[in-house]
Amino acid sequence: QVLGARRDRVKAYNTDGGWLTMTTEELVEDMKRLVARGFDRVKMKIGLPDPRQDVARVKAVRKAIGTKVGLAVDVNTCWDLKTALRWGPKLEEFRLDWLEEPLAPFDVRGHAKLAKALEVPIAVGETLYTAEMFREFLEAGAVEIVQADVTKLSGIEEWLEVSALAKRFGVPVIP
């Protein structure tokens, strides 16, 4: 309220699951458990050495949770552009809410190329630390969902600046 915005409800997704260390069967059960707890969007991690395994795991999760539940995937910066351009399109059939941090965190040009090549929105931000970094991504068309983390920025003022920048570019901010 002090900052001028207030809501009685906020939409939440669960990001505390879907770990790479899980077998596909464990992953599917984990995602189903989160949905049973009431989450209507979940996020899983991908980025195994063989991207075919990632695609198979995303397919299994999508089949298990259905299409009414939002599904996002987090690559945790481990793909290079060539891998992302090859495997990103194979994930599009699963109607992902976003592809998070697919490339090295400061690769603005690579993210811009990927954002132009894919239908699935590109999300970045957990590894960006200044409003200026976000500005570079926004100006380049390299981000379609901003995930600014107030604890990694220099505080709430910087987070508000990033949020205002994102709004100017018509890009949503999702924590």
Side-chain angles (χ1 to χ4, degrees), residues 72-91:
V73 297
D74 187 346
V75 191
N76 287 307
T77 73
C78 71
W79 282 353
D80 59 23
L81 183 58
K82 181 179 176 182
T83 302
L85 288 170
R86 179 169 181 203
W87 292 97
K90 296 178 188 317
L91 296 172

Side-chain angles (χ1 to χ4, degrees), residues 36-53:
R37 285 182 48 204
F39 289 99
D40 64 357
R41 180 185 286 163
V42 292
K43 184 171 78 173
M44 62 180 281
K45 284 61 169 177
I46 64 173
L48 292 168
D50 182 353
R52 287 179 289 243
Q53 290 178 288

Side-chain angles (χ1 to χ4, degrees), residues 109-171:
R109 282 196 296 184
H111 281 92
K113 287 179 185 176
L114 189 59
K116 286 176 182 64
L118 297 181
E119 293 291 320
V120 61
I122 302 301
V124 301
E126 290 179 347
T127 51
L128 299 181
Y129 305 106
T130 68
E132 187 55 38
M133 290 173 150
F134 280 98
R135 181 187 314 279
E136 288 178 41
F137 272 81
L138 289 161
E139 287 175 347
V143 57
E144 294 153 300
I145 296 175
V146 165
Q147 293 182 301
D149 185 335
V150 71
T151 65
K152 293 181 181 174
L153 293 165
S154 62
I156 192 69
E157 284 185 31
E158 188 101 2
W159 187 89
L160 289 169
E161 185 177 343
V162 170
S163 295
L165 276 169
K167 185 175 183 178
R168 264 188 266 147
F169 281 88
V171 174

